[in-house]
Amino acid sequence: MEGTGAPPPWGACAEADPAAGSDLGGPVALKGDPEELKQGSVLFLGGNEVKSSAVVKYSSAPPQAAFARLQEKTDLKLPPANWLRESAKLGPAGTTILGNSKKSKLFSSFGMAYDFIDSVGNDVDVVSDSENIKKLLKIPYSKSHVSMAVHRIGRTLLLDELDIQELFMRSSQVNHLSLATWHMYFKCSVISTKTGDWTWLKEFYQRLIDQKWQRKKKSKEHWYQKAILSKFLYYSINGDGAAQPVSSTAEQHHEDPLPDESDEVGRASWPAPFEMPSSVSEDPGSSNQGSVPLEPSYVVGHVASAPKEQNLSTLFNDGENSQGLKNDFVRNILWTFEDIHMLVGSNMPIFGGGRYPAVSLRLRDNNKPINVLTGIDYWLDNLICNVPELVMCFHVNGIVQKYEMIKTEDIPNLENSNFSTKVIKDIAQNILSFLKSNCTKEGHTYWLFKASGSDIVKLYDLTTLCEETEDKYQNPFTMPVAILLYKVACNMMMKKNQNKKHYGTIRTLLLNCVKLLDKARHPQIIASANYMLSELFQLDEPKKEGAEFPLNGNSDESYSEEEEEMPDSDENGSYSTSSDPPDDNKAVAVIKSVGELSVPEKYKSIHQIRPSCAFPVCHDTEERCRLVLSYVLEGLKSVDSSIKKDGDLPAADPTTPIPLKYEDESTSGGPECLEKQMALFLDKMGSFQKDKHSSQSGMIPGSWQYKMKLQLILKSSKAYYVLSDAAMSLQKYGRALRYIKLALQCHDTYCCLCTNMPAEVLLFLCQCLTLCGDIQLMLAQNANNRAAYLEEYNYQTKEDHEILHSLHRESSCQVFAWATDLSTDLECQLSVSCKCYEAANEILLFSNLKKQNPEQHTQVLKRMGNIRNEIGVFYMNQAAAVQTERVVSKSVSTAEQQLWKKSFSCFEEGIHNFESIDDATNSALLLCNTGRLMRICAQAHCAAGGDFKREFSPEEALYYNKAIDYYLKALRSLGKREMHPAVWDSVNWELSTTYFTMATLQQDYAPLSRKAQEQIEKEVSEAMMKSLKYCDVDTESARQPLCQYRAATIHHRLASMYHSCLRNQVGDEHQRKQHRVLAELHYSKAVKLFQLLKDAPCELLRVQLERVAFAEFQMASQNSSAGKLKTLFGALDILIKTQCAFQLIRKELLAECEQINEDVKSSDQKIPPGDSSSNLNKDEVIKLLTIYESRLSFLLLQSIKLLTSTKKKIGGSNEEEEVLKTNKQVYSLLLRATANKSVTLLARIEVILNLLEQLTQQ
């Protein structure tokens, strides 16, 4: 094109290794390429400042050749000897042809994007051919038409030339080709001729743009100029400076027009719309596994789980090149122009010039001045390629005249070609802002169009127009865009260390990729995309609100298709089409005048892309998991749809439940059957290490379907596990069991398909079984809500049903049925829970995961110990219940003994589990429970003998001593109280109780037939003292009153025992004196402890009465009146000190009377009565009160007698007379009170308190 002076692209030089461009994001160093890593400098051009830098990311050019200055008068019309021939300087013939003006391919930007996938969507604003960049920046200066396809990937725009007229011509030619020609032309298996029919776009173009759409043929002058330029460049390379004539035949051949778009039908520079990979059948139901040579290179099986092993090669191997997706630019340059980052493809020839490191070479007609368009062309080419100088060769009618050297920064100031670099910068910024603000939908093809001679630039959404037709896949950009979206998402997914704010961008990329593709034609990509979508949600991390995914953290990295367009103010460039023709309402946006592009910051305000498509915030775990499962289901559907097999399962019917193999619990055999199922399960788990497994659906191991389904099934299993764990924390145990059942069914299918179980999968299975055991335990402990849990368990969503249907294509899903059934039997639930933990432990052991995961193994052992404790307690309680129901005189049954053995075995195994992980606290608790079991055994033997001639048996002693041993072991396990105060206090209490019970039984049912009285008394005393030792009365706790009551009772019993010994024994005075001292000591301690308690007045009264009886017994053996009188006054003092006990009794009686009165009033007012229960035993009180009255009467009478006799003999003091008088008065009142039998208990208590008050005052 003479008007623009556009330099011809330098033909592709020595073809680089395809792998050379796959080093994403990094420069590729080629030997001998001096411009390879050259960093561009900031240019200051005149009064305008423009910042520009360029970095060559990849170059396939050979070392730069120094250009040869041609001699003056060289005739460029004559071809040089090396014209269009192979040269070591140029590379293989046919790939580096100087002067080849081949048009930019339609998908050239996609080829670059594939090679530099790291830059797409994030760092780069524009990816395009340099010719397209120049054409856009020249819009305000040129009247030429502009037609470009625009695609958006993240924040990156891909620009490609879109020659609509050529498109119509190609589609018209293609429609007349035979099917065989189609195969040869596009190298595809089956492509409908309809795909080449762009009738809808043709009609749209004719209606709105150009009704004739006649393609203009290039003039002879055009081909003449191209030929001269090509010969000039070959002369410059040749370096001989002389024109060497060639034969006329050869000359005629060379003078022919160079290959151009008009004769490239067979080269397929314009591809047909993408249908399928070349080996994929058109039949969506046909099997394409195993025999697909292209797809295995497009690995999708381990997108997120194994990024290091991932091979993200292009989907098409052979087909890719023929489809025009190859990056065949000589060099790819990362060009930064002001704040705009562009990945540009360039074919401009660059020469070395001796003292000049790099120059561009141009040929100009000396009779034609350089215009602005040509100047901009030259300047931009040098900026993009970072070439500092331009060498201009002038000719007249093909005869070389002179050379001129021009610096790049001087080009804008050339005569007749003056332009402002500042304006060029403003144009670039405005165009980018305009495109970014309006090309907002990923996956859509936008068409930027300016007609020849027009000042209006319009932007159309071709995808929306195409969707109005019958087949939306007519758009040839659909497949390349979808693949690029997928590749960019894959690349971002592999960067595990990136900030999760990019997850919104990845999700948008994948959703748009799936939306573009036909499910029947591209199941592999859809399955892989859905798997990656599911991987975006981190199931193994707790969701932190406001921290993990910012609501508006993606700005222009992501955007929403659903949001309404933001209206823009007129001052910033209105996109209103009100002044345009009515039919132009098809345009997405319009620039009314190209002059607007030169206005600084005209579109700056709309350059800020609104944040919209941030990663969705899931407010709870279930919502997050449900999203994951929805993507997994879509992936499974894609995989299953690509597999066809005879007798394939029918499509899932949501209304028809999948039949499962349930068994009646009555015939299941209980724990015995469970043992068999466990053995089968463990046997199968062991077989995974050596056997190969096959799929029921016929999937071939190693195929993409096989790999992808494994990943999807494992992901669904993890999602169900997380759902189960969440339901567990909400105490929805029926729902939790349903979810863990689905998780284990998924895992069962995975096991059936997988030939070698990875360690992390086995560890996850261990976690699933552990959680299942937890759920079964909770169900057992919450049997009251069984109906609600059963309803939760039986509920199933359509999504779950469809996933289960996909699983049943591969497996029966019954391996874990023993663990996930909801039983109504408590013992069965506990047994299942235990078996789950045992299975998890076995997996850790046989797979050698124990050392690698010590924490997991510790948790499993802890749970095993806990469940064995629960089962042991269950059997122990059953044994206690049998003992309660058993007839007293009947001996211990075999069933009862079996329950003891089961309970003891469980406790023993649980203790072993806890000891193996050094869990002293739990070991102590189980030892304590074992001690309790021994006490139950002792009680059973106690009841077996009946009360007739009852004696403390050796069996009882044996089991009580065993219980004591276990309690002592528990204390030794804890070591000291500080380790766990609550457990320590509990064990001490149980140990004290055991000693106390054993001593009490020995005291009440003394084994006199086997032991002497003295030995029994000694054993009772020792047991009681040990009970006191472990009874902590000083530490403040909830158990302190119990400990005080226990200690008081022990002292009371010991005092009573020594009192009895003193009464019954005759002989050894020393021993009698010792017993008397001990009795007085324990009586006094018992009284002190009972006085501390506010709820034991009867016990205190009983102890005091026994002390009085003890005093009376001592008085009977005394001979002197003084001694007797002293003892009498001591006994009376004991009775007087019982005043606090009577006050407590009176208080309780008054409270009871008030409650009765309130109940009477309530009954009159029909109000429900309150709780009138009282801890006071009235019969006991009456009995003790009667004894008290008799003893008080006796003591008063004896004191009166002794005082009277003493007065007669020796004469009494005034004090004694006063005491005598008071005693007589009290005695008189007591006799009158006891004579009246109709007095109430409360009145009698009042009388006693009144009398005691009088005695106290004396």
Side-chain angles (χ1 to χ4, degrees):
M1 186 182 295
E2 183 64 25
T4 62
W10 189 23
C13 293
E15 183 149 346
D17 182 13
S22 63
D23 185 8
L24 307 182
V28 181
L30 297 179
K31 292 183 180 180
D33 194 352
E35 92 255 21
E36 181 53 45
L37 295 178
K38 189 179 297 179
Q39 177 69 40
S41 59
V42 179
L43 302 181
F44 299 92
L45 306 177
N48 302 318
E49 178 182 311
V50 175
K51 297 177 182 179
S52 174
S53 64
V55 176
V56 179
K57 303 290 284 184
Y58 163 76
S59 176
S60 62
Q64 293 174 2
F67 76 93
R69 183 185 289 268
L70 303 184
Q71 296 179 2
E72 192 175 345
K73 306 301 181 179
T74 299
D75 188 356
L76 298 178
K77 294 190 292 296
L78 298 177
N82 66 339
W83 191 37
L84 303 181
R85 294 182 182 178
E86 185 175 353
S87 169
K89 298 179 180 180
L90 305 179
T95 59
T96 55
I97 305 173
L98 295 179
N100 178 12
S101 183
K102 183 174 64 175
K103 288 176 64 66
S104 173
K105 291 185 179 180
L106 179 62
F107 298 99
S108 60
S109 67
F110 289 87
M112 284 190 288
Y114 286 174
D115 283 351
F116 300 96
I117 202 71
D118 263 345
S119 301
V120 177
N122 248 342
D123 306 326
V124 174
D125 296 296
V126 177
V127 177
S128 185
D129 184 350
S130 62
E131 297 300 315
N132 295 331
I133 300 293
K134 292 189 294 181
K135 187 176 290 187
L136 285 177
L137 298 183
K138 291 187 296 184
I139 284 180
Y141 301 94
S142 173
K143 294 296 182 180
S144 301
H145 85 285
V146 175
S147 178
M148 292 187 190
V150 185
H151 297 88
R152 179 161 187 156
I153 306 294
R155 61 167 284 181
T156 304
L157 297 176
L158 276 68
L159 305 179
D160 294 281
E161 183 178 2
L162 182 60
D163 193 333
I164 295 292
Q165 294 183 343
E166 181 185 1
L167 169 67
F168 296 152
M169 181 183 67
R170 293 294 173 82
S171 62
S172 175
Q173 293 174 353
V174 167
N175 283 339
H176 294 86
L177 294 177
S178 65
L179 186 60
T181 307
W182 269 99
H183 281 289
M184 178 177 65
Y185 182 65
F186 289 113
K187 298 183 183 179
C188 293
S189 57
V190 179
I191 300 181
S192 170
T193 55
K194 182 180 177 182
T195 57
D197 187 3
W198 279 59
T199 307
W200 61 275
L201 183 56
K202 180 177 179 181
E203 293 175 353
F204 171 74
Y205 182 83
Q206 288 178 324
R207 184 174 70 253
L208 293 184
I209 312 300
D210 185 358
Q211 294 183 358
K212 297 180 180 180
W213 67 277
Q214 294 295 326
R215 185 170 183 82
K216 296 180 181 180
K217 294 184 179 180
K218 290 183 170 36
S219 64
K220 291 184 179 180
E221 178 67 16
H222 169 77
W223 301 116
Y224 169 73
Q225 294 294 338
K226 284 186 65 174
I228 284 184
L229 176 60
S230 177
K231 294 170 187 175
F232 165 69
L233 292 174
Y234 273 92
Y235 270 124
S236 300
I237 287 292
N238 192 30
D240 55 8
Q244 298 182 9
V246 294
S247 64
S248 59
T249 306
E251 183 176 345
Q252 181 179 357
H253 170 72
H254 294 313
E255 289 293 339
D256 289 340
L258 295 177
D260 196 63
E261 59 274 5
S262 60
D263 60 350
E264 285 185 320
V265 175
R267 296 179 60 184
S269 63
W270 176 263
F274 278 85
E275 289 299 326
M276 315 175 75
S278 61
S279 59
V280 179
S281 173
E282 183 73 19
D283 181 8
S286 63
S287 174
N288 58 1
Q289 55 174 332
S291 62
V292 182
L294 301 182
E295 289 185 338
S297 66
Y298 186 63
V299 178
V300 294
H302 298 81
V303 171
S305 59
K308 293 182 180 179
E309 300 175 2
Q310 195 173 32
N311 176 20
L312 295 176
S313 60
T314 330
L315 180 62
F316 303 100
N317 294 340
D318 279 346
E320 180 185 72
N321 295 343
S322 65
Q323 297 292 350
L325 300 187
K326 182 181 177 182
N327 177 12
D328 54 2
F329 290 103
V330 171
R331 61 182 62 82
N332 299 125
I333 302 163
L334 187 59
W335 182 40
T336 302
F337 186 61
E338 287 293 318
D339 60 344
I340 304 172
H341 304 281
M342 291 175 270
L343 181 61
V344 182
S346 174
N347 292 325
M348 185 182 75
I350 299 177
F351 297 86
R355 65 185 182 90
Y356 309 109
V359 296
S360 59
L361 193 59
R362 302 289 180 171
L363 180 67
R364 291 298 305 171
D365 191 332
N366 203 23
N367 296 326
K368 296 180 181 179
I370 300 176
N371 58 24
V372 172
L373 297 178
T374 305
I376 294 174
D377 242 11
Y378 292 172
W379 181 69
L380 289 175
D381 270 332
N382 277 19
L383 279 187
I384 292 172
C385 295
N386 200 31
V387 176
E389 291 183 294
L390 164 69
V391 174
M392 192 87 75
C393 177
F394 292 93
H395 74 94
V396 175
N397 294 325
I399 305 299
V400 175
Q401 302 295 316
K402 63 177 180 177
Y403 280 84
E404 184 177 342
M405 185 78 71
I406 305 171
K407 292 184 177 181
T408 300
E409 57 264 34
D410 295 334
I411 295 175
N413 301 318
L414 292 177
E415 186 180 356
N416 298 322
S417 180
N418 287 8
F419 61 90
S420 169
T421 57
K422 180 71 172 177
V423 172
I424 301 298
K425 179 202 72 172
D426 293 335
I427 294 170
Q429 291 175 336
N430 283 326
I431 290 177
L432 179 64
S433 297
F434 173 78
L435 292 176
K436 277 201 170 185
S437 299
N438 296 285
C439 302
T440 57
K441 298 180 180 180
E442 274 179 321
H444 280 227
T445 299
Y446 293 91
W447 178 29
L448 185 70
F449 180 78
K450 183 181 85 70
S452 298
S454 173
D455 285 342
I456 300 175
V457 181
K458 299 180 181 180
L459 185 69
Y460 298 94
D461 186 348
L462 293 186
T463 301
T464 303
L465 296 174
C466 183
E467 286 174 350
E468 298 173 0
T469 64
E470 295 181 5
D471 186 0
K472 69 176 180 179
Y473 301 108
Q474 288 187 13
N475 186 347
F477 288 98
T478 298
M479 190 63 186
V481 172
I483 295 298
L484 185 56
L485 289 169
Y486 176 81
K487 286 172 71 70
V488 172
C490 283
N491 184 61
M492 296 179 75
M493 282 288 288
M494 287 194 298
K495 298 177 181 178
K496 292 296 184 183
N497 57 348
Q498 70 176 356
N499 194 311
K500 291 181 181 177
K501 69 179 183 179
H502 295 305
Y503 276 16
T505 304
I506 298 173
R507 179 173 177 269
T508 304
L509 293 169
L510 293 172
L511 288 175
N512 288 321
C513 170
V514 172
K515 189 184 298 183
L516 288 174
L517 296 174
D518 183 5
K519 293 182 180 179
R521 297 171 179 174
H522 309 288
Q524 182 182 5
I525 307 175
I526 291 176
S528 180
N530 277 290
Y531 173 69
M532 283 196 291
L533 282 167
S534 71
E535 279 289 290
L536 291 175
F537 297 85
Q538 299 300 315
L539 296 178
D540 53 345
E541 297 178 6
K543 182 74 175 84
K544 297 180 181 178
E545 295 297 332
E548 186 166 339
F549 302 114
L551 284 173
N552 294 315
N554 291 331
S555 122
D556 57 344
E557 277 94 346
S558 57
Y559 38 87
S560 173
E561 298 187 6
E562 289 74 26
E563 290 195 12
E564 297 180 0
E565 297 294 331
M566 292 169 50
D568 302 300
S569 62
D570 291 338
E571 65 180 359
N572 292 319
S574 172
Y575 296 155
S576 170
T577 58
S578 57
S579 61
D580 294 327
D583 289 337
D584 286 353
N585 58 11
K586 294 287 186 180
V588 173
V590 176
I591 299 176
K592 294 180 180 180
S593 173
V594 293
E596 294 180 354
L597 296 174
S598 302
V599 179
E601 300 183 354
K602 176 68 176 178
Y603 298 101
K604 183 177 181 180
S605 64
I606 59 173
H607 181 62
Q608 303 299 324
I609 305 302
R610 56 191 178 278
S612 54
C613 193
F615 196 78
V617 176
C618 301
H619 297 288
D620 58 21
T621 303
E622 183 164 3
E623 183 183 353
R624 186 164 73 252
C625 291
R626 279 295 167 192
L627 274 173
V628 170
L629 290 171
S630 66
Y631 294 131
V632 168
L633 177 58
E634 291 302 316
L636 288 173
K637 286 180 178 178
S638 297
V639 173
D640 292 341
S641 67
S642 66
I643 304 170
K644 190 172 184 180
K645 177 186 173 184
D646 293 338
D648 198 5
L649 294 174
D653 181 6
T655 61
T656 305
I658 294 177
L660 300 178
K661 299 178 182 179
Y662 294 111
E663 291 185 4
D664 186 5
E665 287 184 6
S666 61
T667 61
S668 63
E672 294 78 10
C673 181
L674 193 60
E675 292 284 353
K676 295 179 181 178
Q677 293 177 344
M678 263 293 296
L680 291 173
F681 160 71
L682 292 175
D683 180 64
K684 181 173 182 179
M685 290 304 300
S687 69
F688 286 131
Q689 306 299 319
K690 49 190 177 182
D691 295 341
K692 291 187 177 181
H693 304 270
S694 60
S695 164
Q696 293 181 4
S697 65
M699 280 194 307
I700 300 173
S703 65
W704 74 263
Q705 291 98 332
Y706 175 84
K707 295 177 181 177
M708 178 52 62
K709 193 157 190 176
L710 277 178
Q711 294 297 325
L712 290 168
I713 289 172
L714 187 59
K715 188 69 178 181
S716 62
S717 183
K718 291 179 179 179
Y720 281 126
Y721 171 84
V722 174
L723 280 171
S724 179
D725 189 49
M728 177 82 169
S729 63
L730 295 174
Q731 299 181 357
K732 302 289 185 181
Y733 302 125
R735 185 193 305 175
L737 185 61
R738 170 166 57 89
Y739 283 138
I740 201 64
K741 178 178 181 178
L742 288 165
L744 287 171
Q745 285 177 324
C746 293
H747 210 288
D748 181 13
T749 306
Y750 186 94
C751 294
C752 289
L753 294 176
C754 190
T755 55
N756 187 19
M757 293 283 281
E760 59 270 16
V761 176
L762 285 172
L763 184 62
F764 174 63
L765 174 58
C766 174
Q767 294 171 346
C768 287
L769 289 169
T770 303
L771 179 59
C772 186
D774 294 344
I775 296 168
Q776 292 284 9
L777 176 57
M778 289 298 101
L779 287 168
Q781 293 179 347
N782 295 271
N784 295 334
N785 297 327
R786 185 168 288 149
Y789 297 148
L790 185 62
E791 183 178 355
E792 293 173 0
Y793 178 74
N794 290 328
Y795 175 78
Q796 191 178 63
T797 65
K798 178 182 177 182
E799 196 173 64
D800 297 338
H801 181 86
E802 291 178 341
I803 290 176
L804 195 58
H805 175 81
S806 179
L807 300 180
H808 276 271
R809 293 174 61 94
E810 316 299 339
S811 164
S812 63
C813 302
Q814 291 299 312
V815 172
F816 299 98
W818 57 270
T820 56
D821 285 340
L822 179 57
S823 174
T824 57
D825 181 61
L826 183 59
E827 180 183 359
C828 182
Q829 286 177 325
L830 292 173
S831 298
V832 168
S833 178
C834 185
K835 295 302 177 185
C836 287
Y837 297 141
E838 289 176 359
N841 187 49
E842 288 294 330
I843 292 171
L844 290 174
L845 292 178
F846 79 68
S847 58
N848 297 322
L849 291 172
K850 175 183 173 181
K851 294 182 180 179
Q852 301 173 18
N853 302 275
E855 292 183 5
Q856 179 73 18
H857 188 240
T858 300
Q859 289 298 319
V860 171
L861 287 176
K862 186 172 289 189
R863 283 172 164 81
M864 286 174 64
N866 179 61
I867 190 60
R868 284 167 172 164
N869 177 57
E870 292 288 338
I871 297 174
V873 170
F874 171 77
Y875 288 132
M876 182 170 65
N877 291 338
Q878 276 196 328
V882 171
Q883 177 183 313
T884 304
E885 296 172 358
R886 176 161 50 85
V887 179
V888 175
S889 60
K890 191 175 180 182
S891 61
V892 179
S893 64
T894 306
E896 197 171 350
Q897 291 178 348
Q898 288 298 322
L899 290 172
W900 295 345
K901 290 178 181 179
K902 288 181 179 180
S903 179
F904 180 76
S905 175
C906 291
F907 287 141
E908 199 172 39
E909 291 174 350
I911 292 168
H912 175 72
N913 293 142
F914 285 126
E915 287 178 347
S916 65
I917 56 175
D918 298 325
D919 191 340
T921 303
N922 283 314
S923 297
L925 286 172
L926 263 71
L927 287 165
C928 192
N929 280 339
T930 310
R932 183 172 165 235
L933 174 64
M934 297 298 104
R935 287 162 56 193
I936 290 176
C937 296
Q939 292 168 10
H941 287 90
C942 167
D947 290 333
F948 181 70
K949 293 183 180 181
R950 168 89 167 88
E951 283 189 359
F952 185 68
S953 65
E955 290 81 5
E956 292 176 82
L958 173 66
Y959 283 112
Y960 278 121
N961 284 319
K962 284 186 176 181
I964 289 169
D965 289 340
Y966 283 112
Y967 288 132
L968 291 173
K969 284 182 182 178
L971 289 178
R972 286 196 296 271
S973 175
L974 290 172
K976 53 185 178 180
R977 186 176 186 274
E978 289 75 14
M979 186 170 183
H980 203 297
V983 177
W984 177 271
D985 293 344
S986 177
V987 175
N988 271 281
W989 173 255
E990 295 295 334
L991 182 56
S992 173
T993 302
T994 305
Y995 276 122
F996 176 74
T997 303
M998 187 168 66
T1000 302
L1001 290 173
Q1002 282 185 296
Q1003 189 177 11
D1004 295 345
Y1005 304 101
L1008 296 172
S1009 61
R1010 294 181 290 108
K1011 295 181 181 179
Q1013 180 71 32
E1014 291 79 7
Q1015 184 181 356
I1016 295 173
E1017 290 172 359
K1018 181 181 178 182
E1019 291 178 357
V1020 169
S1021 177
E1022 289 176 354
M1024 287 293 187
M1025 294 309 294
K1026 287 180 179 178
S1027 179
L1028 276 175
K1029 175 184 175 182
Y1030 296 105
C1031 188
D1032 186 3
V1033 296
D1034 299 323
T1035 304
E1036 292 186 4
S1037 64
R1039 192 179 275 119
Q1040 187 182 24
L1042 288 176
C1043 292
Q1044 290 173 342
Y1045 185 86
R1046 167 73 54 75
T1049 305
I1050 290 172
H1051 285 299
H1052 180 201
R1053 279 188 164 270
L1054 287 173
S1056 299
M1057 183 182 73
Y1058 292 128
H1059 184 184
S1060 176
C1061 292
L1062 190 62
R1063 284 177 177 274
N1064 300 327
Q1065 286 180 355
V1066 180
D1068 190 354
E1069 187 61 31
H1070 175 73
Q1071 192 173 11
R1072 287 175 60 82
K1073 183 178 180 181
Q1074 187 179 7
H1075 286 166
R1076 182 170 58 252
V1077 172
L1078 289 173
E1080 289 176 352
L1081 174 65
H1082 287 295
Y1083 273 134
S1084 63
K1085 288 185 176 181
V1087 169
K1088 288 180 181 178
L1089 289 169
F1090 278 130
Q1091 285 176 342
L1092 294 174
L1093 300 169
K1094 302 301 181 182
D1095 56 352
C1098 293
E1099 287 80 356
L1100 176 59
L1101 191 57
R1102 185 182 294 108
V1103 173
Q1104 295 288 48
L1105 288 173
E1106 285 191 20
R1107 290 182 71 189
V1108 170
F1110 183 67
E1112 290 177 359
F1113 173 73
Q1114 287 180 299
M1115 188 177 64
S1117 62
Q1118 291 176 335
N1119 297 321
S1120 66
S1121 297
K1124 287 186 177 181
L1125 192 60
K1126 183 179 179 181
T1127 304
L1128 275 173
F1129 281 137
L1132 278 171
D1133 186 57
I1134 292 172
L1135 290 178
I1136 291 171
K1137 288 181 179 179
T1138 58
Q1139 188 175 4
C1140 61
F1142 285 113
Q1143 287 174 346
L1144 290 173
I1145 294 172
R1146 181 181 64 176
K1147 184 179 178 180
E1148 291 198 26
L1149 290 173
L1150 288 172
E1152 186 177 349
C1153 290
E1154 291 177 3
Q1155 183 66 44
I1156 293 173
N1157 293 333
E1158 289 179 4
D1159 291 344
V1160 171
K1161 293 179 181 179
S1162 300
S1163 61
D1164 294 341
Q1165 300 175 6
K1166 297 182 179 180
I1167 300 175
D1171 184 12
S1172 60
S1173 61
S1174 174
N1175 295 327
L1176 193 63
N1177 187 342
K1178 289 184 179 181
D1179 294 336
E1180 182 75 9
V1181 172
I1182 292 171
K1183 180 181 177 182
L1184 291 172
L1185 181 59
T1186 303
I1187 297 172
Y1188 184 89
E1189 290 172 341
S1190 67
R1191 299 335 297 161
L1192 180 60
S1193 175
F1194 172 78
L1195 291 176
L1196 287 172
L1197 178 60
Q1198 294 300 318
S1199 67
I1200 292 170
K1201 289 180 179 180
L1202 284 173
L1203 285 172
T1204 302
S1205 64
T1206 303
K1207 181 180 178 183
K1208 288 179 180 180
K1209 290 179 180 180
I1210 61 174
S1213 63
N1214 293 332
E1215 184 180 351
E1216 289 180 346
E1217 289 180 359
E1218 187 67 28
V1219 170
L1220 178 60
K1221 181 180 177 182
T1222 303
N1223 287 354
K1224 285 181 178 181
Q1225 184 179 353
V1226 171
Y1227 181 69
S1228 174
L1229 292 173
L1230 181 60
L1231 289 177
R1232 292 193 189 98
T1234 54
N1236 188 359
K1237 302 298 182 182
S1238 60
V1239 181
T1240 62
L1241 178 60
L1242 182 59
R1244 291 174 66 184
I1245 297 294
E1246 294 285 357
V1247 170
I1248 294 297
L1249 286 171
N1250 186 31
L1251 296 177
L1252 293 177
E1253 185 68 26
Q1254 294 182 33
L1255 290 173
T1256 305
Q1257 293 175 358
Q1258 69 179 4

